[in-house]
Amino acid sequence: MSRTQYLSIAIFSLTLVVFAVLLQQAGYKNVSFLPCPLCVLQRIGFLGIAISCFLAAGLTSFKKLFHSIALLSAVFGAAIAGKQVWLLSHPESSCGIDPLEVWINQFQLAQALPWLFKADGLCSAKLPAIFGLQVPEWSLLWFCVLLLILTFTFFKKAKTKV
């Protein structure tokens, strides 16, 4: 994968996190989108992809290593988003109290950057759909797209110059 492609993926992933923070701060249709523990973990997945792709673009000698980390971040994020989509379709499974929230909010990152990493919402909360999909469904979609791109480009042979 080229440096430009890595940078594009990194900027796209960061844009998704910025959009999530904007939804949290400004809301949508007069509803505040407070992040739940699974939302915070999805943000970490997108940030993992972004940071890994920035590093792969800058440190070409370690490109495969950082590509692998981005790939693992995409798998992690897709698994977390998939769990939240499942919870949205099975709200009776949630007790309303999420022990993961306490655990996540004790991390230094959540205390240092609460606007980005503090979990305040419920994982099974039905919020207004954006273009027909809930935020976790959009997240799952983008994680799957990024996962496919990163997987196919990981195994693609680099063109050698003659």
Side-chain angles (χ1 to χ4, degrees):
M1 199 179 329
S2 72
R3 172 183 243 155
T4 306
Q5 291 169 320
Y6 279 121
L7 291 175
S8 297
I9 290 173
I11 290 169
F12 180 73
S13 295
L14 283 178
T15 303
L16 292 172
V17 174
V18 167
F19 184 70
V21 171
L22 286 174
L23 279 176
Q24 171 187 338
Q25 299 299 324
Y28 176 69
K29 293 187 177 181
N30 296 323
V31 176
S32 181
F33 281 63
L34 295 176
C36 71
L38 296 179
C39 296
V40 170
L41 292 175
Q42 289 168 57
R43 289 179 185 186
I44 291 170
F46 282 122
L47 289 171
I49 293 169
I51 292 167
S52 299
C53 286
F54 274 130
L55 290 171
L59 303 170
T60 54
S61 56
F62 295 104
K63 184 165 65 169
K64 279 289 189 193
L65 171 67
F66 292 123
H67 193 121
S68 300
I69 294 170
L71 195 57
L72 289 173
S73 295
V75 168
F76 169 78
I80 297 296
K83 168 133 174 98
Q84 189 169 5
V85 168
W86 184 86
L87 275 174
L88 286 175
S89 62
H90 299 87
E92 69 280 357
S93 318
S94 179
C95 63
I97 300 169
D98 198 337
L100 192 58
E101 180 178 328
V102 175
W103 182 72
I104 286 176
N105 288 340
Q106 288 177 350
F107 281 118
Q108 196 68 27
L109 273 175
Q111 295 170 8
L113 301 169
W115 54 271
L116 183 60
F117 294 114
K118 187 168 190 251
D120 288 325
L122 294 173
C123 294
S124 60
K126 282 269 192 179
L127 298 168
I130 300 171
F131 298 116
L133 294 176
Q134 295 284 317
V135 172
E137 295 168 331
W138 278 112
S139 188
L140 179 60
L141 173 74
W142 290 122
F143 274 121
C144 289
V145 167
L146 292 170
L147 181 60
L148 287 172
I149 292 169
L150 290 167
T151 301
F152 287 126
T153 55
F154 185 79
F155 295 109
K156 186 178 178 184
K157 296 274 186 201
K159 294 180 183 177
T160 55
K161 295 180 181 177
V162 180

